[in-house]
């Protein structure tokens, strides 16, 4: 008979028995940085009236203030993911956070429209270095059910941040802190950015450069002008009366996009690894996501302008009007996976259809009555689970070695879809709003509903 002496519990064995919470603390820091970066996509929407009055800006300049951030963001997102592989995710995340924070300060102090637009583009470039590292770290640090939970938190933050930007922007502009008007919507990023950078330095693993990878300068040289040549005429076209150069610019941008695909198929280490699109769920997921975020970007821009310019609400009232739908959006985006597994495959197409109905109700309730707010709640209830399940399904089959490539594609689709939505729907709204804001909202929301229905069709085919 062998006697064994029980080992007394001590600090070491207690630590071994407890689950490691460090990855979750790290995720919280990364998601705070992501929240801050996404907040600035929409935070200016409710401040547009104040910016126009203070800086004497045109409608086109206002669209550049909104879209300039996402142009800089979308142009460099794939590059940001690749740089994270080359120089380490911690270095890129912290560098991007610091650049974003400094540019936020410059935005808040901008003396005119041109410096503000330039600072917004640079701010977006900083975010582009920061954001792709988030998904790459999730892919590396989490597996199985923990990865699905982390991705749900990621999508919930995206859901909440877009609408929270509207709300926070309205509160800060309405509060008129220190008589600064719209400027605190940018200055609030400074202390948050410093906090995120400090904690990221302590918690985020350094990581060695990935051997054999290099930066595709040829692809980058084609991708950047392709985006600019398509987006700028969409932003400026309505203001300038759609002269011939706008159509020529779009045509050249499309040709460059085709050339980009040809080049990426031939280079040894492409900026966009098109083979990643063959991974299960990635290609149809990106197409469905693009349709959703384009309609969403247009929705946020147009509804915010209609609430202020059409219905005469203050910036704070316009922001708070969006809050209930945003809260529902975020909650449904996080808890969707508690629904029965057998319905998960249908959450995206059904959610897109429900959101299209919500857009149609917004078109009917453009007077801002009860129907208007019912539509906002229905949108959050429908798009939350649709968006959450779509993101998880598009990423769960991605192997670790493809994490950076797919994260670049995903975040680029998110932000390029957003900027195209603001540019196209915003141009349509501003053109029609000269006659009637209600008519402009009805038309743009109808078009957004049609786009979502097309996205629902893509989701079913997935």
């Amino acid at each position: 008979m062998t006697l064994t002496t029980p080992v007394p519990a001590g600090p070491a064995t207690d630590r071994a028995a407890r689950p490691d919470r460090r990855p979750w603390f790290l995720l919280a820091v990364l998601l705070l940085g992501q929240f801050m970066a996404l907040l600035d996509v929409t935070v200016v929407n409710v401040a547009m009236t104040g910016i126009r009055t203070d800086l004497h800006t045109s409608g086109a300049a206002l669209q550049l203030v909104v879209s300039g951030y996402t142009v800089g963001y979308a142009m460099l997102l794939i590059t940001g993911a690749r740089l994270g592989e080359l120089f380490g995710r911690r270095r890129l995340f912290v560098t991007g956070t610091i650049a974003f924070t400094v540019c936020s300060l410059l935005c808040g102090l901008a003396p005119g429209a041109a410096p503000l637009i330039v600072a917004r583009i640079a701010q977006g470039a900083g975010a582009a270095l920061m954001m792709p590292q988030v998904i790459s770290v999730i892919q590396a640090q989490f597996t199985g059910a923990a990865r699905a939970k982390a991705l749900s938190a990621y999508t919930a933050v995206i859901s909440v941040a877009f609408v929270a930007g509207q709300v926070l922007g309205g509160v800060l502009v309405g509060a008129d802190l220190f008589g600064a008007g719209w400027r605190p919507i940018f200055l609030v990023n400074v202390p948050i950015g410093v906090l995120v950078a400090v904690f990221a330095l302590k918690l985020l693993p350094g990581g060695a450069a990935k051997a054999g990878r290099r930066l595709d300068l040829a692809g980058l040289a084609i991708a950047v002008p392709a985006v600019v040549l398509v987006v700028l005429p969409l932003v400026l076209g309505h203001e300038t009366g759609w002269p011939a150069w706008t159509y020529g610019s779009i045509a050249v941008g499309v040709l460059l996009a085709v050339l980009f695909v040809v080049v990426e198929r031939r280079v040894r280490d492409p900026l966009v690894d098109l083979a990643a699109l063959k991974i299960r769920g990635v290609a149809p997921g990106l197409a469905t996501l693009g349709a959703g975020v384009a309609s969403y970007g247009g929705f946020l821009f147009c509804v915010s302008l209609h609430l202020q310019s059409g219905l005469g609400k203050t910036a704070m009232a316009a922001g708070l009007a969006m809050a209930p739908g945003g809260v529902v959006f975020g909650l449904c985006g996080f808890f969707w996976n508690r629904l029965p597994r057998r319905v998960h495959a249908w959450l995206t197409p059904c959610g897109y259809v429900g959101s299209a109905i919500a857009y149609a109700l917004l078109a009917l309730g453009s007077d801002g009555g009860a129907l208007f707010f019912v539509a906002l709640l229905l949108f959050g209830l429908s798009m939350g689970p649709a968006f959450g399940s779509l993101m998880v399904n598009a990423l769960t089959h991605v192997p670790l070695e493809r994490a950076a490539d797919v994260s670049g594609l995903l975040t680029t689709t998110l932000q390029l879809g957003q900027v195209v939505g603001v540019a196209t729907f915003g141009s349509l709204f501003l053109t029609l709003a000269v006659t009637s804001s209600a008519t402009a909202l009805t038309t743009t929301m109808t078009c957004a509903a049609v786009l979502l229905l097309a996205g629902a069709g893509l989701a079913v085919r997935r």
Side-chain angles (χ1 to χ4, degrees):
M1 184 177 198
T2 302
L3 296 177
T4 59
T5 303
V7 178
T13 54
D14 288 344
R15 283 195 298 270
R18 290 196 299 266
D20 187 1
R21 298 184 181 276
R22 285 174 297 179
W24 297 103
F25 289 137
L26 169 60
L27 179 64
V29 172
L30 295 178
L31 292 183
L32 179 58
Q34 172 186 281
F35 181 84
M36 178 178 64
L38 291 175
L39 198 74
D40 266 52
V41 176
T42 58
V43 73
V44 297
N45 282 358
V46 294
M48 286 186 291
T49 301
I51 293 173
R52 171 181 278 175
T53 302
D54 188 25
L55 301 182
H56 308 290
T57 60
S58 64
L62 280 179
Q63 280 190 289
L64 284 173
V65 170
V66 175
S67 299
Y69 177 81
T70 44
V71 168
Y73 203 174
M75 287 189 304
L76 298 179
L77 275 168
I78 296 178
T79 307
R82 177 62 54 83
L83 290 173
E85 287 188 297
L86 292 174
F87 300 107
R89 293 166 187 154
R90 180 175 65 188
R91 183 177 297 172
L92 263 292
F93 184 85
V94 173
T95 300
T97 302
I98 293 172
F100 177 90
T101 304
V102 171
C103 291
S104 295
L105 179 62
L106 295 176
C107 287
L109 301 177
L116 178 58
I117 292 169
V118 171
R120 284 281 286 170
I121 294 172
Q123 188 188 32
L129 299 179
M130 173 175 50
M131 281 286 290
Q133 318 313 323
V134 179
I135 285 202
S136 296
V137 171
I138 288 176
Q139 296 289 92
Q141 298 289 326
F142 298 91
T143 58
R147 180 184 289 182
K149 184 177 180 181
L151 287 173
S152 292
Y154 175 87
T155 57
V157 167
I158 291 174
S159 307
V160 172
F162 280 139
V163 178
Q166 304 274 107
V167 177
L168 180 62
V171 170
L172 289 175
V173 172
D176 192 20
L177 298 173
F178 309 107
W182 52 271
R183 297 180 186 276
I185 67 173
F186 298 114
L187 298 176
V188 71
N189 291 329
V190 176
I192 298 174
V194 171
L195 187 68
V196 169
V198 169
F199 277 98
L201 277 172
K202 293 183 178 181
L203 296 173
L204 190 58
K210 190 170 181 179
R213 302 308 300 266
R214 61 182 183 182
L215 188 60
D216 175 18
L217 295 177
L220 181 62
I222 298 172
V224 170
V227 172
V228 173
L229 288 172
V230 170
V231 171
L232 275 183
L234 290 175
V235 171
L236 299 175
H238 79 281
E239 188 80 7
T240 57
W242 296 101
W245 73 263
T246 57
Y247 299 103
S249 177
I250 292 173
V252 174
V254 172
L255 289 175
L256 284 177
V258 173
L259 177 62
F260 176 76
V261 172
V262 172
V263 170
E264 294 303 279
R265 288 181 179 274
R266 296 184 177 183
V267 298
R268 185 174 66 85
D269 196 11
L271 188 64
V272 177
D273 186 357
L274 298 177
L277 297 175
K278 298 179 181 178
I279 300 172
R280 180 183 170 189
V282 171
L286 291 177
T288 306
L289 180 64
V293 295
S295 68
Y296 187 40
F299 154 73
L300 291 176
F301 185 88
C302 298
V303 170
S304 175
L305 274 181
H306 176 67
L307 286 172
Q308 294 181 78
S309 302
L311 300 181
K313 293 184 179 294
T314 64
M316 180 181 291
L320 293 176
M322 307 289 288
V327 171
V328 173
F329 194 153
L331 289 175
C332 292
F334 184 73
F335 292 109
W336 66 269
N337 54 1
R338 297 193 179 186
L339 294 171
R341 185 172 294 274
R342 64 179 180 274
V343 306
H344 285 186
W346 291 98
L347 289 178
T348 298
C350 291
Y352 271 34
V353 170
S355 299
I357 294 172
Y359 285 163
L361 293 177
L362 281 173
L364 295 174
S366 58
D367 59 351
L371 186 60
F372 187 88
F373 292 99
V374 169
L376 292 177
L377 290 174
L378 175 60
F379 174 78
L381 186 64
S382 302
M383 189 57 84
F387 193 48
S389 61
L390 172 61
M391 294 283 282
V392 171
N393 290 333
L395 290 171
T396 48
H397 301 290
V398 177
L400 179 58
E401 62 271 16
R402 293 295 185 87
D405 293 322
V406 176
S407 77
L409 287 170
L410 176 75
T411 45
T412 298
T413 301
L414 273 169
Q415 300 311 319
L416 193 54
Q418 174 84 6
V419 74
V420 169
V422 170
T424 53
F425 290 109
S427 293
L428 179 61
F429 180 90
L430 288 169
T431 300
L432 297 176
V434 174
T435 303
S436 168
S437 181
T439 300
L441 185 70
T442 298
T443 303
T444 51
M445 289 300 95
T446 301
C447 293
V450 171
L451 180 58
L452 272 186
L453 291 176
L458 291 170
V460 170
R461 292 177 63 87
R462 183 169 59 84

